[in-house]
Structure formats: structure tokens, C-alpha cells
Amino acid sequence: MSAPVLPLNSRGKLASSLPAEQLAEISQLFEFRRTGYSLDAPFYTDPTIFKIDMEAIFGQHWIFAGSVAELPEPGDYITVDYGPYSLIVLRNDDGGVNVLHNVCRHRGARVLTEAAGSTGNLVCGYHSWTYSAEGNLIHASAPGEAKFDKNCFALKRAHSREVAGLIFVCIADEPPTDFDETSKIFEPYLAPHDLSKTKIAYQQNIIEEGNWKLVMENNRECYHCDGHPELACSLFPTWGLTEGLIPAHLEEVWDRNKEAQSSLEERCRRYGLPYEVVEELDTRIAGIRISRESLDGEGESFSADGRRLSKKLLGDLPDFRLGRCSMHLQPNSWFHFLGDHVITFGVFPINEHQSLVRTTWLVADDAVEGVDYDLEKLTYTWKQTNLQDKAFVELCQQGAGSPAYEPGPYMKSEYQVEAFINWYVQRVQEHLA
Ligand code: FES
Ligand SMILES: [Fe+2]
């Protein structure tokens, strides 16, 4: 009698399968990381370290995938890929989110191949195995396969969390629990912008020729913001600086910034909106920085004069002049929540030298393009800024590939880069231990 066809659990763990010598060498790189300095070149160029990053960081933590505006209706889905992983994030009939590994349980084909769409059942394009939205195998033509048990071949599932309209996924068997605490911090800041009543105005996918950590490092400082003339119109280029660190050419900007910040805080107190800085980038597993900060000019939006870019206020917000509520989450996202629109940024590593950066502009769901907002104007500042950032990241990737590269010191204003790297090193070391 032949045995029933049952799946074997064959999930391998790279860290434990590496030859002891190689693992020791990699562990030493982490151990001897020089605090306050950029990482050694292999962190940005070595395929084995990239695999460890996928296992220890992207395989263990809560990862930003998208927002509710990307899957408003049952059957709507997005696919998100990072490293070797591909996940389907799908809105189910109950209003919840199912996260399924996008790997057919027959011979492993990608089940859904589009970046986004809407579907009933999920049909694999190879031999038509058909799965329900829950991932159960509901149809597989199997003539003569008496022992074939469909129940054993459901798509593998992962975890999801939806907080204030942001969707997070985690493929670890047991996701880190401190995300609950982190979400309690950011929910009150973001909820008033009500993402459930927004729609996508535009989504941009850029592939940067850079390691994902370089993309994140670049985002965590504004030391380079002289290279962002469009952004500098609305975002005070004094970000990351404190009294005593202000260079002479920014003194006037700093004074304007302080004045704008105190009047923003006064308005926030009046409206009951939180604005205080919470900065725990390397002191918790789900690292976060959140604050509400003033914008230059009219203080409403990312435009040259700071005026609104969409005429429709988000949620039940009382005022357009709310600056930007900005959030950084480890490991792969940052956000700007404004009165008139929201921008989400997600970084999805492809390999050790390439990363997908996905930027999504959300506006009120009743805002009409061409009437309430001009798409070109809405997206101009960050489209330009993203291209400039892509160029900066790529310059660093090229540098890391040179034998002449050696780690250089982070400046005081780059303390968040240091915090990001601290977080990363701690998390990987914990995983390798
Ligand atoms: S690989 Fe999907 S049905 Fe065969
Ligand atoms: Fe930048």
C-alpha cells in the first residue's frame, strides 16, 4: 500500500545550515561593528549577509506591506515580494486580511503574478490548482489519485495586522509581541487622518541599485537635504539638528522653524491631536519614531509655498495647517500624514544590491483628480526627492563595492542612522545567538 501524499515541512534555516567557519566569520563582522561608523562593505554587498537579513529581519519582524486604500473591497489583493519571499495580502469577505505565501503547493509556481488586482478564488496558472481566499486547496484535477488529500496542501499562511489603516505582515511562526505596544503609540497620531476614507492618487515603484540598509540609512537623516531643493521648500532642512548644531546658513530657517512649530503645537493642543516626539528606534523590537512637525510657508502640504495640494481634508480633521505627522518604523517604512494627503513609503529588498521603493500618495476618497487636486502638483516634490535619494543611495552602493571603502563616521545629525544600524545589528545578533 502506498503512503498518502502528505507535505513535508522543509523550511530550512540558513543561519544554522551555514558552515561553522562562515557563520563565525559573519558573526564576527556583527560583533566587531564599530559603533558610530557605517557598516563594513560586506553588509551592503555580500549575498550571504543578505540571506541572513531576510531570515533575521524580514523573516522575523512585522513588515509594512501597504494600506487599506490598496485593498478596499473583498477579493482585492496586493503581492509584496522581499528577497526570496512573495506574499499575497488579500482582503477577505469578513473585512479582515489574509496573508498567503505566493507559492503553489503543487510544484511551487507563483500563484498570483500581478502586483495588485481583485480575485475570487486563486488559480495557479501552471496546472490550475485552485485555492480559496483563505488559501485552502479547493480544486485540483487529480484523475486516479485516490490517496491525494487536498486538505494537506493549503497555501501557507502568515500573520497580518491592520493598525490605523496600515497593513503589516509577519512570516515568523511567532511574531514579536511588542508590536502591540508600538501600535498603541502610533494609532492616536494616525487615526484622525482616517485611511479607510482615502484612495490611491498615485503609486510609484522605483528600483534602486542599492542594498536595503543604504535606502533606510539615507531616509534616516537630512544631512543631505541640500540635495533636495524641492523638498527644502516645505520641509525645514534643519531636521535632525538641535540648538548648537545649526550651521550659520540655516540660522534664519531654524528661527522660522521654531516659530512654526510652536504655533503648530498650539493648534494641536486645541484640536486634541498628539504631536510629541516619540523616539524609540533602537530601544524596542518594533522600533519607531513619530512626531508632528511643522512645514514651511503656509504649513499645509509639500508644495513650494506650503499650501494644500488637495482641497479635501482627510477624515474629520479640523484644519489644513497640521504640518506633517511623520513616522519611521523599523525595518522598512516611513510615512507622512498631512491634512490633505498621506504618503506611504515601503522598502522591499530584492537582493544584496537592489531594492524596490514603493511610494503611495493617498487623498480623500471623494477628492476628484483635476478638480480637487492636480496629480502632477500633488506628486511633484516627492517624485523629485525620490529620484535624488535613489542617486544618493546608488553612489553609496558603488562606494561599498570598492576595495578602497572603509566605514566612515556618522555625524551628530545622523543619530537616527546610527539608531537604525544599532537596531539592525542587535536584531541579527539575537537571531544568530
Ligand atoms: S505548480 Fe501550481 S498547479 Fe502546478
Ligand atoms: Fe533624501
Side-chain angles (χ1 to χ4, degrees):
M1 193 175 113
S2 61
V5 183
L6 288 172
L8 290 170
N9 190 346
S10 63
R11 213 191 284 175
K13 196 175 161 196
L14 176 81
S16 55
S17 67
L18 281 179
E21 242 171 60
Q22 198 185 358
L23 189 57
E25 202 181 314
I26 288 175
S27 300
Q28 282 213 336
L29 276 175
F30 281 93
E31 201 176 322
F32 295 123
R33 179 247 158 174
R34 190 170 173 191
T35 307
Y37 278 71
S38 64
L39 292 172
D40 282 308
F43 286 99
Y44 306 116
T45 58
D46 186 293
T48 305
I49 294 190
F50 179 76
K51 284 184 188 151
I52 287 176
D53 287 2
M54 290 307 102
E55 184 176 291
I57 303 293
F58 285 79
Q60 293 296 320
H61 293 89
W62 285 102
I63 306 299
F64 170 66
S67 77
V68 291
E70 294 170 66
L71 31 146
E73 302 293 334
D76 290 349
Y77 71 85
I78 54 172
T79 55
V80 286
D81 297 353
Y82 42 89
Y85 295 103
S86 179
L87 298 174
I88 299 164
V89 183
L90 183 136
R91 174 75 59 204
N92 64 31
D93 288 340
D94 302 333
V97 168
N98 299 337
V99 184
L100 307 163
H101 283 270
N102 195 7
V103 181
C104 183
R105 292 300 305 279
H106 176 217
R107 277 171 49 205
R110 280 279 151 92
V111 180
L112 297 180
T113 53
E114 301 294 320
S118 194
T119 186
N121 293 328
L122 285 63
V123 184
C124 177
Y126 200 171
H127 312 91
S128 303
W129 281 27
T130 303
Y131 304 89
S132 70
E134 310 301 318
N136 299 320
L137 180 61
I138 51 177
H139 177 74
S141 71
E145 303 276 355
K147 298 264 161 54
F148 179 70
D149 183 355
K150 289 206 288 282
N151 294 324
C152 297
F153 295 96
L155 290 178
K156 291 183 179 175
R157 291 193 64 148
H159 305 275
S160 75
R161 290 288 306 271
E162 204 177 302
V163 186
L166 301 177
I167 298 166
F168 299 88
V169 297
C170 181
I171 62 170
D173 293 338
E174 286 184 31
T177 51
D178 86 322
F179 190 75
D180 291 343
E181 289 164 40
T182 296
S183 45
K184 272 186 215 138
I185 295 173
F186 69 76
E187 226 244 336
Y189 285 77
L190 310 188
H193 297 256
D194 199 354
L195 286 195
S196 70
K197 296 200 190 101
T198 62
K199 64 174 180 184
I200 298 175
Y202 189 71
Q203 186 167 74
Q204 178 199 51
N205 291 302
I206 307 183
I207 292 180
E208 300 191 5
E209 298 292 325
N211 182 275
W212 71 277
K213 295 187 290 294
L214 287 177
V215 180
M216 298 308 299
E217 289 183 41
N218 173 69
N219 168 257
R220 298 308 195 226
E221 49 95 358
C222 211
Y223 188 27
H224 69 273
C225 279
D226 278 353
H228 292 315
E230 296 80 10
L231 186 62
C233 294
S234 46
L235 184 68
F236 292 101
T238 41
W239 192 82
L241 296 177
T242 48
E243 212 89 51
L245 288 181
I246 309 299
H249 77 284
L250 290 179
E251 267 168 20
E252 183 263 341
V253 178
W254 178 245
D255 289 342
R256 214 165 59 236
N257 188 352
K258 276 198 304 189
E259 211 168 288
Q261 186 65 25
S262 66
S263 72
L264 171 68
E265 290 177 5
E266 204 278 312
R267 278 197 298 285
C268 287
R269 283 192 289 274
R270 194 166 353 126
Y271 303 138
L273 296 172
Y275 59 85
E276 294 83 0
V277 183
V278 178
E279 200 163 67
E280 293 204 51
L281 285 167
D282 58 355
T283 45
R284 56 167 65 244
I285 294 172
I288 181 172
R289 182 189 194 278
I290 192 163
S291 63
R292 191 176 281 279
E293 289 168 33
S294 52
L295 290 165
D296 209 349
E298 294 299 311
E300 295 180 342
S301 205
F302 283 117
S303 54
D305 56 6
R307 270 181 219 284
R308 66 199 71 169
L309 289 163
S310 171
K311 288 180 194 155
K312 298 278 184 179
L313 265 173
L314 297 182
D316 297 321
L317 294 173
D319 195 329
F320 281 100
R321 282 178 309 149
L322 295 175
R324 60 186 174 100
C325 178
S326 294
M327 175 163 76
H328 292 169
L329 288 180
Q330 314 291 41
N332 78 321
S333 58
W334 63 93
F335 308 85
H336 295 296
F337 281 67
L338 298 95
D340 65 340
H341 73 289
V342 168
I343 321 175
T344 69
F345 301 81
V347 178
F348 301 96
I350 297 169
N351 54 41
E352 67 280 5
H353 60 87
Q354 289 183 310
S355 310
L356 170 76
V357 178
R358 175 168 294 156
T359 307
T360 311
W361 286 259
L362 306 173
V363 292
D365 56 7
D366 59 350
V368 179
E369 186 184 338
V371 177
D372 297 309
Y373 66 96
D374 176 311
L375 190 58
E376 282 307 306
K377 287 187 182 145
L378 178 77
T379 54
Y380 179 73
T381 296
W382 277 101
K383 269 188 187 165
Q384 298 304 111
T385 304
N386 282 346
L387 288 179
Q388 292 147 2
D389 280 330
K390 170 180 157 70
F392 290 134
V393 166
E394 293 180 354
L395 291 175
C396 283
Q397 185 70 30
Q398 286 163 14
S402 161
Y405 168 82
E406 64 177 289
Y410 296 134
M411 300 288 100
K412 280 207 173 87
S413 67
E414 295 172 290
Y415 72 98
Q416 291 191 34
V417 185
E418 168 70 9
F420 168 70
I421 294 300
N422 278 342
W423 177 89
Y424 161 77
V425 169
Q426 280 175 46
R427 300 273 72 79
V428 177
Q429 280 186 314
E430 211 163 90
H431 182 77
L432 294 179

Short mmCIF file of all heavy atoms in Angstrom, two decimals, residues 192-219:
data_model
loop_
_atom_site.label_atom_id
_atom_site.label_comp_id
_atom_site.label_asym_id
_atom_site.label_seq_id
_atom_site.Cartn_x
_atom_site.Cartn_y
_atom_site.Cartn_z
N PRO A 192 -6.80 60.05 13.22
CA PRO A 192 -7.62 61.19 12.76
C PRO A 192 -7.55 61.42 11.25
O PRO A 192 -8.44 62.05 10.67
CB PRO A 192 -7.02 62.39 13.52
CG PRO A 192 -6.34 61.80 14.71
CD PRO A 192 -5.84 60.46 14.27
N HIS A 193 -6.51 60.89 10.59
CA HIS A 193 -6.40 61.07 9.13
C HIS A 193 -7.26 60.04 8.37
O HIS A 193 -7.41 60.14 7.16
CB HIS A 193 -4.93 60.96 8.69
CG HIS A 193 -4.07 62.03 9.28
ND1 HIS A 193 -3.63 63.11 8.56
CD2 HIS A 193 -3.57 62.21 10.53
CE1 HIS A 193 -2.90 63.90 9.33
NE2 HIS A 193 -2.85 63.37 10.54
N ASP A 194 -7.77 59.07 9.08
CA ASP A 194 -8.73 58.06 8.61
C ASP A 194 -8.44 57.49 7.21
O ASP A 194 -9.10 57.82 6.22
CB ASP A 194 -10.15 58.65 8.63
CG ASP A 194 -11.18 57.51 8.60
OD1 ASP A 194 -10.76 56.33 8.44
OD2 ASP A 194 -12.38 57.80 8.72
N LEU A 195 -7.48 56.59 7.18
CA LEU A 195 -7.11 55.98 5.89
C LEU A 195 -8.23 55.17 5.26
O LEU A 195 -8.21 54.93 4.05
CB LEU A 195 -5.89 55.07 6.08
CG LEU A 195 -4.55 55.74 6.29
CD1 LEU A 195 -3.42 54.74 6.09
CD2 LEU A 195 -4.35 56.92 5.34
N SER A 196 -9.22 54.78 6.07
CA SER A 196 -10.31 53.98 5.48
C SER A 196 -11.15 54.84 4.53
O SER A 196 -11.95 54.32 3.75
CB SER A 196 -11.20 53.37 6.57
OG SER A 196 -11.94 54.40 7.20
N LYS A 197 -10.99 56.15 4.60
CA LYS A 197 -11.72 57.04 3.67
C LYS A 197 -10.76 57.72 2.71
O LYS A 197 -10.91 58.90 2.39
CB LYS A 197 -12.53 58.07 4.46
CG LYS A 197 -13.61 57.44 5.32
CD LYS A 197 -14.68 58.47 5.69
CE LYS A 197 -15.62 57.93 6.75
NZ LYS A 197 -15.32 58.43 8.10
N THR A 198 -9.73 56.96 2.28
CA THR A 198 -8.80 57.51 1.29
C THR A 198 -8.75 56.60 0.07
O THR A 198 -9.24 55.47 0.10
CB THR A 198 -7.36 57.63 1.85
OG1 THR A 198 -6.89 56.32 2.18
CG2 THR A 198 -7.29 58.53 3.06
N LYS A 199 -8.18 57.14 -0.99
CA LYS A 199 -7.95 56.32 -2.19
C LYS A 199 -6.55 56.63 -2.71
O LYS A 199 -5.95 57.66 -2.36
CB LYS A 199 -8.99 56.65 -3.26
CG LYS A 199 -8.89 58.08 -3.77
CD LYS A 199 -9.83 58.31 -4.94
CE LYS A 199 -9.70 59.75 -5.43
NZ LYS A 199 -10.61 60.09 -6.49
N ILE A 200 -6.06 55.73 -3.56
CA ILE A 200 -4.73 55.95 -4.13
C ILE A 200 -4.83 57.00 -5.23
O ILE A 200 -5.59 56.84 -6.18
CB ILE A 200 -4.19 54.64 -4.75
CG1 ILE A 200 -4.05 53.56 -3.68
CG2 ILE A 200 -2.83 54.89 -5.43
CD1 ILE A 200 -3.63 52.21 -4.23
N ALA A 201 -4.04 58.05 -5.08
CA ALA A 201 -3.95 59.02 -6.17
C ALA A 201 -2.86 58.58 -7.14
O ALA A 201 -3.00 58.71 -8.36
CB ALA A 201 -3.64 60.42 -5.63
N TYR A 202 -1.79 58.02 -6.58
CA TYR A 202 -0.68 57.59 -7.44
C TYR A 202 0.21 56.65 -6.66
O TYR A 202 0.39 56.79 -5.45
CB TYR A 202 0.14 58.81 -7.89
CG TYR A 202 1.15 58.49 -8.95
CD1 TYR A 202 0.75 58.19 -10.26
CD2 TYR A 202 2.52 58.46 -8.67
CE1 TYR A 202 1.68 57.87 -11.24
CE2 TYR A 202 3.45 58.15 -9.65
CZ TYR A 202 3.03 57.86 -10.93
OH TYR A 202 3.94 57.54 -11.89
N GLN A 203 0.76 55.67 -7.35
CA GLN A 203 1.75 54.79 -6.73
C GLN A 203 2.98 54.72 -7.63
O GLN A 203 2.84 54.55 -8.84
CB GLN A 203 1.19 53.39 -6.50
CG GLN A 203 2.15 52.50 -5.73
CD GLN A 203 1.48 51.23 -5.22
OE1 GLN A 203 1.22 50.32 -5.99
NE2 GLN A 203 1.21 51.18 -3.92
N GLN A 204 4.14 54.85 -7.02
CA GLN A 204 5.39 54.83 -7.79
C GLN A 204 6.27 53.70 -7.27
O GLN A 204 6.45 53.55 -6.06
CB GLN A 204 6.11 56.18 -7.58
CG GLN A 204 7.45 56.29 -8.27
CD GLN A 204 8.31 57.40 -7.67
OE1 GLN A 204 8.50 57.47 -6.46
NE2 GLN A 204 8.82 58.27 -8.51
N ASN A 205 6.77 52.90 -8.17
CA ASN A 205 7.72 51.83 -7.81
C ASN A 205 9.06 52.16 -8.44
O ASN A 205 9.16 52.25 -9.66
CB ASN A 205 7.23 50.48 -8.33
CG ASN A 205 5.99 50.02 -7.58
OD1 ASN A 205 6.02 49.88 -6.37
ND2 ASN A 205 4.91 49.82 -8.30
N ILE A 206 10.08 52.33 -7.60
CA ILE A 206 11.42 52.61 -8.12
C ILE A 206 12.33 51.47 -7.69
O ILE A 206 12.30 51.06 -6.52
CB ILE A 206 12.04 53.89 -7.52
CG1 ILE A 206 11.13 55.09 -7.65
CG2 ILE A 206 13.37 54.19 -8.16
CD1 ILE A 206 11.80 56.35 -7.11
N ILE A 207 13.14 50.99 -8.61
CA ILE A 207 14.17 50.03 -8.20
C ILE A 207 15.46 50.80 -8.03
O ILE A 207 15.94 51.46 -8.95
CB ILE A 207 14.31 48.88 -9.22
CG1 ILE A 207 13.02 48.06 -9.15
CG2 ILE A 207 15.54 48.02 -8.89
CD1 ILE A 207 12.97 46.89 -10.07
N GLU A 208 15.97 50.77 -6.82
CA GLU A 208 17.23 51.45 -6.53
C GLU A 208 18.35 50.41 -6.54
O GLU A 208 18.19 49.32 -5.99
CB GLU A 208 17.15 52.17 -5.18
CG GLU A 208 16.04 53.21 -5.16
CD GLU A 208 16.08 54.14 -3.95
OE1 GLU A 208 17.02 54.08 -3.15
OE2 GLU A 208 15.14 54.95 -3.84
N GLU A 209 19.45 50.78 -7.17
CA GLU A 209 20.62 49.88 -7.21
C GLU A 209 21.36 50.06 -5.91
O GLU A 209 22.45 50.65 -5.86
CB GLU A 209 21.50 50.21 -8.42
CG GLU A 209 20.83 50.03 -9.77
CD GLU A 209 20.52 48.58 -10.09
OE1 GLU A 209 21.30 47.69 -9.71
OE2 GLU A 209 19.47 48.33 -10.72
N GLY A 210 20.76 49.58 -4.84
CA GLY A 210 21.38 49.75 -3.52
C GLY A 210 20.82 48.73 -2.54
O GLY A 210 19.66 48.32 -2.64
N ASN A 211 21.64 48.34 -1.59
CA ASN A 211 21.22 47.45 -0.52
C ASN A 211 20.11 48.12 0.30
O ASN A 211 20.16 49.35 0.51
CB ASN A 211 22.45 47.15 0.36
CG ASN A 211 22.14 46.17 1.47
OD1 ASN A 211 21.66 46.57 2.54
ND2 ASN A 211 22.41 44.91 1.24
N TRP A 212 19.18 47.34 0.81
CA TRP A 212 18.03 47.92 1.52
C TRP A 212 18.46 48.78 2.71
O TRP A 212 17.80 49.77 3.04
CB TRP A 212 17.05 46.82 1.95
CG TRP A 212 17.57 45.93 3.06
CD1 TRP A 212 18.38 44.85 2.93
CD2 TRP A 212 17.30 46.06 4.47
NE1 TRP A 212 18.66 44.31 4.15
CE2 TRP A 212 17.99 45.02 5.12
CE3 TRP A 212 16.55 46.95 5.23
CZ2 TRP A 212 17.95 44.85 6.50
CZ3 TRP A 212 16.50 46.77 6.62
CH2 TRP A 212 17.20 45.74 7.23
N LYS A 213 19.59 48.41 3.34
CA LYS A 213 20.02 49.18 4.51
C LYS A 213 20.50 50.57 4.10
O LYS A 213 20.33 51.54 4.85
CB LYS A 213 21.13 48.43 5.27
CG LYS A 213 20.63 47.11 5.86
CD LYS A 213 21.65 46.45 6.75
CE LYS A 213 22.85 45.88 6.02
NZ LYS A 213 22.53 44.74 5.11
N LEU A 214 21.10 50.67 2.91
CA LEU A 214 21.51 52.00 2.43
C LEU A 214 20.28 52.87 2.15
O LEU A 214 20.30 54.08 2.38
CB LEU A 214 22.37 51.88 1.17
CG LEU A 214 23.80 51.36 1.38
CD1 LEU A 214 24.51 51.23 0.04
CD2 LEU A 214 24.60 52.26 2.32
N VAL A 215 19.21 52.25 1.66
CA VAL A 215 17.97 53.00 1.41
C VAL A 215 17.43 53.54 2.74
O VAL A 215 17.06 54.71 2.86
CB VAL A 215 16.90 52.12 0.73
CG1 VAL A 215 15.64 52.93 0.47
CG2 VAL A 215 17.44 51.53 -0.58
N MET A 216 17.43 52.68 3.75
CA MET A 216 16.91 53.10 5.05
C MET A 216 17.83 54.14 5.71
O MET A 216 17.36 55.12 6.27
CB MET A 216 16.76 51.89 5.99
CG MET A 216 15.77 50.84 5.51
SD MET A 216 14.15 51.48 5.07
CE MET A 216 13.61 52.17 6.63
N GLU A 217 19.14 53.92 5.59
CA GLU A 217 20.08 54.88 6.18
C GLU A 217 19.87 56.27 5.58
O GLU A 217 19.86 57.28 6.27
CB GLU A 217 21.53 54.44 5.93
CG GLU A 217 21.96 53.24 6.72
CD GLU A 217 23.43 52.90 6.48
OE1 GLU A 217 24.25 53.82 6.40
OE2 GLU A 217 23.75 51.71 6.35
N ASN A 218 19.72 56.28 4.26
CA ASN A 218 19.53 57.57 3.58
C ASN A 218 18.27 58.27 4.07
O ASN A 218 18.24 59.49 4.23
CB ASN A 218 19.45 57.32 2.07
CG ASN A 218 19.08 58.59 1.32
OD1 ASN A 218 19.86 59.52 1.24
ND2 ASN A 218 17.87 58.63 0.78
N ASN A 219 17.24 57.46 4.35
CA ASN A 219 15.99 58.07 4.81
C ASN A 219 16.09 58.61 6.23
O ASN A 219 15.33 59.51 6.60
CB ASN A 219 14.86 57.04 4.75
CG ASN A 219 13.63 57.53 5.48
OD1 ASN A 219 13.35 57.11 6.60
ND2 ASN A 219 12.94 58.48 4.87
#
